[in-house]
Amino acid sequence: MPGTDERPTSMSTTGSEDASSDAESSSDRCNSITSVSDTSDCSRQSFTSDCSSSKHSSPSSSPPKTITLDDVMSSARDLSNLTLAHEIIVNRDFHVEQPHLPQNSLEKQVKDIVHKAFWDSLESELNDDPPEYEHAIKLLEEIREILLSFLSPGANRLRTQILEVLDMDLIRQQADKEAVDIQGLASYIVTIMGKLCAPVRDDEVKKLCESPDNVVSMFKEIFRVLDLMKMDMVNFTIQSLRPDLQRQSVEYERAKFQSIVEKTPSALDHTTEWIKSSLEEVLFSMPTVEQPNGHGKAGKALPSPLLVFNSGFIRLLTWDYHKSPLPETLMTDEVRLRELQRRLQLLKAMASVLLIVYSAIGGPISGLPALAERLKRMTSVLLEGMHSPDFNLSEALGNISGQICCELNKSLTERNYPALPPELQVTLKGQITSITQENNPIRSLVEGRVQQYFRVLLATPNSHVNPPPTPGGLALIQPELTSMAVTFVSLVNFNKQVYSPFYMMILKTLLFSNAASPPAATAPQDPSIQNPVNSN
């Protein structure tokens, strides 16, 4: 039996003899990724330059080709790998959990029936006279492979011992002579599990030691705990891979997406439409300029790529997912973008309510942070779930206005101010409930200033370090808005670092579609590109 000192302190699954071999990798994985701003990368590139680049620094162009089933399946695998890697990189809380089937689902019923049939068969074989060991040997072989998979490459002594004790050829010979000690082998397996499991599984393994003498029940529990240990191993591996993935994330994600583009000619269709709409929006707002030397008619100046791309990213804040799919380059962040949009909509509604209240009451409630926090919390709670289809926003705003008036009257009377007149309370209620109208001036004001704030952050270098102050009228939601904006900017900057060559290629094609084919965009030759911003 191996000694207890072989047990690891984490799910690294090595004995004491292996601790030194694993420790060497921990020191060079302690470097966290550095936040950088990428706002100037696109603007430094010329539309007509033809710069050289490394292998994966720019997307390659190729003529359309027939798509085969193998191409589709390969692209699906690339997308799956890209999505998983991106999630590991940007979501530090990402982990794998044991799947749980719904209690009354067909899948669970089938699974339970199959498992019961297997364990009943095993019990029947072991109770035969003489006993049969066919199913038991298959279980032991599977358990041996699982235990070996937990070991690090340097755990040679423990690996050798497991192979000796769970020698399947020897066990089969013992089975032929009816001399297999199933109970003893099960106890040995539990002992090894105790040495290999993460500390969080200690109690589970101790319960296995206290299991009844029924071998079948014991094997059931062994497999249940082994499943938990496999999840622990997967999550430990994810944590170990994260620093390496973060260091190589830009090149890795770009290469994976380039592979998808090469196999799927339509892989950038939605991205092209997104950039085209942003370009049209920017061109529409730009002033007309005279041509150089007075030749030709007046026309629009070429917009900055940074301005076009930032305008596109700002549109994501109000994106209608029911009408338009996201650009392909943003699919890996769809969940984060949807959640950010929901939180931002709630925050804008809360800002509109507070702006109405403080504009109407003024001095008597100004300079009272505790009151402001109570009003914010009250409004936020009553607006929770406002994105649900069956949520009645008008009714909720009516309730909010009533609660706010009660809170204001309480605060005013405590400080010897007169309570709000009934007619003012009616006016407040009407103004608050009217923000459901799309053309409501307060709603439009808040929406415009929020977008203005996000635009400023996107265009400001290092805005994630020193965010600029919020525009007037949004001071009461500044902490929440700043936190949300910094998260969004970090997500955008990382996306730019990965996909800016594709964006530049599309933009050049749109601007010079009537001219000769423009050269392929090249990636910014900036050392900071290897230190992407974590969008969490």
Side-chain angles (χ1 to χ4, degrees):
M1 289 284 185
T4 56
D5 61 340
E6 290 183 282
R7 177 182 175 183
T9 56
S10 70
M11 200 55 203
S12 57
T13 68
T14 62
S16 59
E17 60 182 351
D18 310 306
S20 60
S21 64
D22 288 343
E24 62 185 8
S25 63
S26 62
S27 61
D28 42 88
R29 285 178 176 170
C30 63
N31 298 322
S32 60
I33 65 175
T34 306
S35 295
V36 296
S37 175
D38 186 63
T39 55
S40 61
D41 284 343
C42 293
S43 61
R44 290 200 301 267
Q45 302 179 58
S46 166
F47 284 122
T48 57
S49 64
D50 188 9
C51 304
S52 60
S53 61
S54 59
K55 181 178 179 182
H56 296 301
S57 63
S58 63
S60 61
S61 300
S62 57
K65 62 178 183 178
T66 303
I67 304 176
T68 65
L69 179 59
D70 288 340
D71 291 333
V72 174
M73 297 303 293
S74 178
S75 295
R77 286 191 295 271
D78 286 338
L79 181 58
S80 177
N81 292 336
L82 173 62
T83 302
L84 178 60
H86 184 78
E87 199 64 30
I88 293 172
I89 291 164
V90 303
N91 183 4
R92 65 188 64 183
D93 296 323
F94 175 77
H95 64 282
V96 180
E97 294 183 351
Q98 191 76 11
H100 294 288
L101 297 175
Q103 188 62 35
N104 297 321
S105 66
L106 178 61
E107 294 88 345
K108 188 174 190 316
Q109 293 176 18
V110 172
K111 179 181 176 181
D112 291 344
I113 291 171
V114 172
H115 282 199
K116 185 177 186 304
F118 176 85
W119 294 115
D120 288 348
S121 177
L122 175 64
E123 187 169 23
S124 176
E125 284 187 358
L126 295 178
N127 289 335
D128 281 350
D129 188 16
E132 292 286 339
Y133 294 103
E134 180 183 355
H135 282 79
I137 290 174
K138 289 180 180 179
L139 282 182
L140 291 171
E141 191 168 13
E142 185 176 348
I143 290 172
R144 184 186 70 168
E145 296 308 312
I146 294 173
L147 294 176
L148 292 175
S149 71
F150 290 155
L151 300 178
S152 69
N156 297 322
R157 184 156 63 89
L158 191 53
R159 185 184 307 275
T160 300
Q161 185 187 84
I162 292 174
L163 291 172
E164 288 177 353
V165 176
L166 297 178
D167 184 336
M168 304 317 300
D169 292 334
L170 177 60
I171 291 173
R172 287 189 180 92
Q173 293 174 17
Q174 293 173 341
D176 293 339
K177 300 177 181 179
E178 302 177 23
V180 180
D181 183 8
I182 296 292
Q183 186 72 47
L185 291 173
S187 298
Y188 172 77
I189 289 168
V190 172
T191 301
I192 296 301
M193 290 169 65
K195 298 178 185 301
L196 299 180
C197 72
V200 70
R201 303 300 173 199
D202 280 348
D203 291 340
E204 298 282 355
V205 174
K206 286 178 182 178
K207 290 178 183 177
L208 292 178
C209 299
E210 302 166 0
S211 295
D213 293 335
N214 186 309
V215 175
V216 174
S217 298
M218 190 172 188
F219 272 112
K220 279 185 183 179
E221 288 301 299
I222 285 174
F223 270 93
R224 183 184 66 82
V225 178
L226 283 174
D227 282 342
L228 296 175
M229 290 174 63
K230 283 191 284 187
M231 291 296 101
D232 294 339
M233 172 57 80
V234 169
N235 289 321
F236 174 78
T237 304
I238 288 172
Q239 292 176 8
S240 302
L241 285 175
R242 182 174 284 116
D244 290 335
L245 281 173
Q246 287 173 337
R247 282 193 289 269
Q248 305 173 33
S249 56
V250 171
E251 289 298 321
Y252 176 83
E253 292 201 26
R254 189 183 300 159
K256 280 294 180 186
F257 191 77
Q258 176 67 49
S259 175
I260 295 172
V261 170
E262 290 171 354
K263 297 168 186 171
T264 313
S266 61
L268 284 169
D269 286 358
H270 299 313
T271 304
T272 301
E273 285 300 315
W274 171 60
I275 293 178
K276 181 180 178 181
S277 298
S278 300
L279 176 60
E280 291 172 350
E281 177 185 327
V282 171
L283 286 174
F284 181 78
S285 62
M286 292 185 68
T288 302
V289 296
E290 294 291 338
Q291 295 296 321
N293 303 321
H295 296 296
K297 298 179 179 180
K300 299 283 187 178
L302 284 180
S304 159
L306 179 64
L307 179 60
V308 175
F309 301 148
N310 283 355
S311 295
F313 284 113
I314 290 296
R315 290 176 60 218
L316 298 176
L317 299 174
T318 55
W319 193 267
D320 189 339
Y321 291 89
H322 299 292
K323 292 183 179 179
S324 305
L326 271 180
E328 294 88 351
T329 55
L330 287 154
M331 293 301 293
T332 52
D333 285 310
E334 180 172 356
V335 173
R336 272 174 286 277
L337 288 171
R338 282 177 177 267
E339 178 60 24
L340 188 143
Q341 187 186 83
R342 287 193 291 266
R343 288 167 50 206
L344 188 60
Q345 286 176 353
L346 189 149
L347 194 61
K348 288 187 292 188
M350 186 168 68
S352 299
V353 170
L354 295 177
L355 187 57
I356 289 170
V357 170
Y358 277 82
S359 298
I361 310 302
I365 60 173
S366 298
L368 300 172
L371 174 62
E373 284 302 315
R374 288 199 301 273
L375 297 180
K376 285 168 59 176
R377 185 167 56 251
M378 179 190 308
T379 305
S380 177
V381 168
L382 293 176
L383 287 177
E384 192 67 37
M386 63 179 289
H387 310 95
S388 174
D390 57 352
F391 187 86
N392 191 325
L393 182 57
S394 296
E395 181 181 336
L397 290 172
N399 293 334
I400 287 171
S401 62
Q403 294 287 338
I404 285 178
C405 287
C406 290
E407 189 67 33
L408 291 177
N409 285 333
K410 177 182 175 182
S411 176
L412 290 170
T413 54
E414 286 176 351
R415 291 176 293 112
N416 298 321
Y417 282 98
L420 298 178
E423 57 273 16
L424 180 54
Q425 297 186 39
V426 172
T427 300
L428 272 179
K429 182 175 181 179
Q431 291 180 338
I432 289 174
T433 55
S434 69
I435 65 173
T436 57
Q437 303 168 7
E438 290 189 11
N439 59 349
N440 179 270
I442 297 296
R443 173 177 171 172
S444 299
L445 175 68
V446 170
E447 175 68 38
R449 290 185 178 178
V450 166
Q451 288 203 14
Q452 173 193 345
Y453 183 62
F454 276 75
R455 286 181 188 275
V456 170
L457 261 72
L458 282 178
T460 304
N462 299 319
S463 60
H464 58 284
V465 179
N466 297 306
T470 54
L474 305 181
L476 289 174
I477 60 165
Q478 179 170 354
E480 297 85 355
L481 185 62
T482 300
S483 173
M484 208 174 297
V486 168
T487 298
F488 179 71
V489 169
S490 297
L491 185 151
V492 167
N493 285 343
F494 180 78
N495 184 274
K496 286 180 182 178
Q497 288 175 347
V498 176
Y499 298 107
S500 60
F502 299 95
Y503 296 156
M504 287 297 295
M505 180 181 66
I506 293 170
L507 185 56
K508 287 180 181 180
T509 303
L510 292 172
L511 286 170
F512 304 107
S513 56
N514 295 326
S517 298
T522 57
Q525 302 302 313
D526 188 335
S528 67
I529 202 169
Q530 297 302 327
N531 296 308
V533 177
N534 192 325
S535 67
N536 226 27

